[in-house]
Amino acid sequence: MHATTTVRIGISARHVHLKQEHADILFGQENYLLTNFKDLYQPGEYACAEKVTIQTAHGKIDNVRVLGPYRPETQVEISKTDSRGLKIAPPVRNSGDLDGSAPITLVGPAGTVELEQGCILANRHIHLSPKEAEELHLINEDIVKVEIPGEKGGILYNVHCKIKDSYKKEMHLDVDDANAFLLTGKEDIGYILKD
């Protein structure tokens, strides 16, 4: 194997994607508008000023950031370390693949939403535009390996490719993966490996 291209690495802390109906309940206002706190690297996506508590019968995590824009379904993304504290077992999934995922409760300043499913550990994935994917001879949902340099460097397997017109080339890792490779969240890069 040899490296074919570099890829910027973004570290995804625990976060929540909301559908409109649930935001209205959590924040107590019909047709609630999320507040853009900071634009993210992917065009059209942003961190919101709004935060919620996520909880189970065994624990809770306060101040979990909401990400915008709204989604068709509410989704909670946490790390394996988070799941141990909450004593739940969310599956590793692609974003939006929520059937049979873990239940969790969201608590906002004005209301509570109990999800029968919706909590996942997000797959490692790379966002790519169609042009970037074509240059790498990759198609949507291809799975690649990515080499991470550094003192605790290594190879990440099972990295899913997500292709969309609005995307820019960036790999997303959760905090557990990032910590294992001593990533800092500042100008981290990896190398997509080609067989």
Side-chain angles (χ1 to χ4, degrees):
M1 288 184 289
H2 61 280
T4 59
T5 188
T6 59
V7 60
R8 166 196 169 101
I9 299 173
I11 302 172
S12 291
R14 66 179 78 97
H15 61 272
V16 174
H17 300 280
L18 292 174
K19 68 178 183 179
Q20 178 77 64
E21 173 191 349
H22 290 163
D24 294 354
I25 295 168
L26 292 167
F27 302 107
Q29 182 179 321
E30 189 174 353
N31 297 317
Y32 184 82
L33 293 176
L34 295 171
T35 307
N36 186 333
F37 173 72
K38 181 177 70 172
D39 287 330
L40 301 178
Y41 186 73
Q42 294 304 315
E45 298 185 7
Y46 53 93
C48 301
E50 290 80 4
K51 298 178 182 179
V52 297
T53 295
I54 59 174
Q55 67 181 35
T56 67
H58 304 286
K60 69 175 184 174
I61 301 174
D62 295 319
N63 297 315
V64 178
R65 181 81 65 183
V66 174
L67 300 188
Y70 286 122
R71 294 280 187 93
E73 296 297 333
T74 294
Q75 173 176 301
V76 179
E77 297 180 35
I78 62 175
S79 69
K80 185 63 180 177
T81 299
D82 291 335
S83 76
R84 291 192 177 110
L86 296 169
K87 296 187 179 177
I88 55 174
V92 178
R93 292 284 181 82
N94 282 329
S95 184
D97 181 7
L98 303 179
D99 286 347
S101 57
I104 199 160
T105 298
L106 309 181
V107 181
T112 298
V113 172
E114 295 186 8
L115 298 178
E116 294 183 2
Q117 59 183 21
C119 185
I120 63 171
L121 309 179
N123 270 328
R124 301 163 180 155
H125 58 275
I126 299 174
H127 292 270
L128 296 161
S129 70
K131 181 180 178 182
E132 290 165 338
E134 184 178 6
E135 289 171 353
L136 295 170
H137 306 289
L138 294 170
I139 61 173
N140 197 48
E141 291 306 331
D142 271 352
I143 296 175
V144 298
K145 306 175 193 73
V146 176
E147 182 178 1
I148 308 294
E151 187 177 3
K152 291 194 73 175
I155 295 176
L156 283 166
Y157 293 83
N158 300 320
V159 182
H160 292 242
C161 296
K162 297 178 177 294
I163 300 167
K164 191 175 177 180
D165 287 338
S166 63
Y167 285 165
K168 297 185 346 187
K169 186 170 63 176
E170 182 185 37
M171 179 166 70
H172 284 176
L173 300 179
D174 70 17
V175 171
D176 284 352
D177 278 342
N179 285 342
F181 288 89
L182 300 183
L183 300 179
T184 64
K186 298 178 181 178
E187 300 182 359
D188 296 311
I189 62 164
Y191 298 92
I192 300 172
L193 300 179
K194 183 80 173 177
D195 289 328

